[in-house]
Amino acid sequence: MGDRYVVAAMCWTHIILQEKSNRPIVDLPGFRSSVGKWVKYIKANCLNPDVEIILAMNWPSIATDDWDRDMATLKSSYQAVADEFNLRICPVGWAYDIIRKTEGEVALKTLFVDEIHPTAKASYLAACMEF
C-alpha cells in the first residue's frame, strides 16, 4: 500500500480504545497504566494534534455473581481514567445495564454469545453508539 495510506491512517479524528473485558473491574492500576501508555503513544504519533480518544466502556460478564457491583466498578473506573487523561467515554456497558434494568435478564442474555462476548446484535449496538 503506499505511504499515502500510512499518512491517512495517522490523521484520524477519533480513536477508540477498548480494554480487556474485566481489567477495569479487577485491576484499576493496570487499566490506568494501559490507557496512559496508549494516550502517550497516540499523542506522539498521530498527525492530528486534536485527535479525540474515546474509551469504549465494557460490560460485566453475564456470569458475574453481582452485576450491579461490577457495573458500578466499571462506571467509576472508566470515569476516573477518562477524567485523568481528558478522554470521552462511549458507555456501551451502560447500555447493557439499561437494557437489563428496563427489559430484564432475558433481554440482557440476548447480548451474549457466551459469558462475555457480544452477539451481532450487541456489536451493532456498540457500533451505533461509537459512530
Side-chain angles (χ1 to χ4, degrees), residues 9 12 15 30 34-35 74-75 80 125:
W12 291 310
I15 295 175
S34 177
V35 171
L74 280 169
K75 288 177 185 176
L125 170 66

Side-chain angles (χ1 to χ4, degrees), residues 59 95-96 99 106-113 116-123 125:
W59 47 88
Y96 278 48
I99 290 167
V106 172
L108 178 67
K109 289 179 182 177
T110 68
L111 303 176
F112 293 88
V113 295
I116 194 68
H117 296 99
T119 60
K121 175 177 156 180
S123 295
L125 170 66

Side-chain angles (χ1 to χ4, degrees), residues 28-44:
L28 179 57
F31 175 46
R32 177 179 283 120
S33 175
S34 177
V35 171
K37 288 175 185 173
W38 277 109
V39 168
K40 182 178 178 180
Y41 176 85
I42 291 165
K43 296 291 184 179

